[in-house]
Every structure is written in C-alpha cells, then in structure tokens.
Amino acid sequence: VGMAMGGWMVTVSASSDSLPGNHVRYGVKLATEKAQVAVASATGNAKSEASLHLTFAARRADELKQIVEEEPVYVDETTERLKESMASVEENLQDLKDNDPTKVDDVAKQITEKTTDIINDLNDAAHDISGEGEEGVAAVKDLQDAKKAVNDTGIEAIGVLAQSEILGDEEIKLIVEEKIDAILLDAEEMKQDVDVVTEEVADGEI
C-alpha cells in the first residue's frame, strides 16, 4: 500500500504543471482536483469548496495563457472547465448566503479579488492569440465567453458585499470601486480585441 500511495503521490506531483494535450498527466491533475472538491463537499464546507473552485478557475486561466499560441485547439474545453468552476463558485456563494451568512462576506471578498486576477490572465491570453486566423477568432470568442462568466460571478459577489452588515461602509465602497474599475478596463480590452478581428474581416484575412 505504501509503494502504491508513494507512486500515486509522485504521479500527482508530476502532473501539477501539466497542460491540456498531455492526456495522462493532465487527467491525473483534473482527477486530483475533483477529489479535493469531493472532500470539501462531503464535509459540507461551502467556504472551502468555493475557495477550491476559485483556485481551479485561476489554474485554467494560467493554462490558457500557456496554450493559446501552440495548442489553441484546447482553448474551447479549457474555457468550458473554467466556466464550470465559476458556476460552482456562484452556487457555493448562494449556499453560504442562505445557510451561513457569517462566512459569506469573506468568500465574496475573495471572489472579487480572484476574479480580477483571472480576468487579467484571460486578457493576456486573448492578446497572444488575436490574429491567428479562423481558429484564433474562435479561441478569442471562447475567451470572451469565459471572461463574461468570471465577471458575472464577480458582480454577484459585489451584490453580497453591498448588503454586508459586517464590513464597514468605506471598505465596501473601496472594494466596489476597485471592481468597477477592473470591469471598465476589461470592457476596453474587449473592445480592442473586437477591433482587431473586425480589421481582419475587412482585410479579407477571415
């Protein structure tokens, strides 16, 4: 048993930096994440589960930054996994709001911070892939869909914080202002990506 567990741990460790396309190691990476979520879910720890899903969404965003140039074929399935993680975060947030309001503010703050980081990574990925023909345009669309899902979750968290009875008014105001600034910046980034694609269509490249 010790040898088997030792071999499993080595495999898990080796898979931690794997990317979509490396089917064996990446499969182990995803299976390990599912196991972590299953443990958190079994113990009824919605706060821990939300944190895990946020971490995994951030991993998918980091993976997208690494694969957009060489492996754009995997952008679609990776963005789908990211969106699934964000949907789970929203479910956990609602669960905490309904059943454990003492913890919901901490999770909402974590969501507003983490979603900003994820959006930045998705923007970097979109910039790297723009101008790569039809496959590139499809990948940019997938990234924009993922960004919308991330922003929607961030806005849900802002709604929770706006009703907080624990945080002070000034702290809430600062968090909301920072998130609004990030969303406006993302809107400008999205416009630039759309302009690039529009120019390609006009030039007959697509």
Side-chain angles (χ1 to χ4, degrees):
V1 172
M3 291 177 64
M5 289 300 296
W8 169 253
M9 293 303 294
V10 169
T11 303
V12 169
S13 178
S15 69
S16 61
D17 294 328
S18 62
L19 297 171
N22 188 332
H23 300 295
V24 175
R25 289 188 176 182
Y26 192 68
V28 171
K29 182 178 182 178
L30 295 178
T32 303
E33 292 177 357
K34 288 182 179 180
Q36 291 176 272
V37 170
V39 170
S41 179
T43 58
N45 192 336
K47 181 178 179 180
S48 177
E49 192 174 346
S51 181
L52 284 171
H53 284 301
L54 277 172
T55 298
F56 301 152
R59 285 183 189 173
R60 303 293 88 84
D62 183 64
E63 290 165 2
L64 286 163
K65 285 172 60 179
Q66 299 181 64
I67 67 173
V68 287
E69 291 187 280
E70 297 183 5
E71 299 284 355
V73 66
Y74 294 110
V75 168
D76 181 28
E77 62 186 61
T78 305
T79 53
E80 284 301 316
R81 291 191 180 100
L82 191 157
K83 289 190 290 184
E84 288 171 4
S85 291
M86 297 314 302
S88 296
V89 170
E90 284 198 45
E91 290 178 9
N92 296 140
L93 183 67
Q94 187 61 49
D95 184 11
L96 288 168
K97 184 178 178 181
D98 294 338
N99 302 310
D100 198 350
T102 60
K103 296 179 180 178
V104 73
D105 288 344
D106 287 340
V107 172
K109 284 177 64 178
Q110 185 182 9
I111 291 171
T112 58
E113 294 167 0
K114 203 74 171 181
T115 50
T116 298
D117 293 338
I118 293 171
I119 287 294
N120 289 337
D121 283 344
L122 293 176
N123 280 331
D124 289 343
H127 291 158
D128 289 341
I129 205 167
S130 293
E132 296 294 327
E134 291 184 18
E135 189 176 63
V137 172
V140 169
K141 182 182 182 302
D142 289 335
L143 290 169
Q144 299 294 8
D145 288 344
K147 285 163 62 177
K148 181 182 182 303
V150 175
N151 268 330
D152 286 349
T153 304
I155 291 170
E156 286 290 329
I158 288 292
V160 170
L161 291 176
Q163 301 174 45
S164 173
E165 297 180 357
I166 299 174
L167 302 180
D169 290 343
E170 285 302 315
E171 186 176 4
I172 295 173
K173 180 182 176 182
L174 179 60
I175 292 172
V176 171
E177 286 178 347
E178 289 178 348
K179 191 61 181 177
I180 289 174
D181 287 343
I183 291 173
L184 290 175
L185 178 61
D186 177 58
E188 180 59 30
E189 296 277 358
M190 187 181 298
K191 179 180 181 300
Q192 292 175 9
D193 290 337
V194 171
D195 288 344
V196 169
V197 174
T198 302
E199 288 178 7
E200 290 181 355
V201 171
D203 292 341
E205 296 179 27
I206 300 175

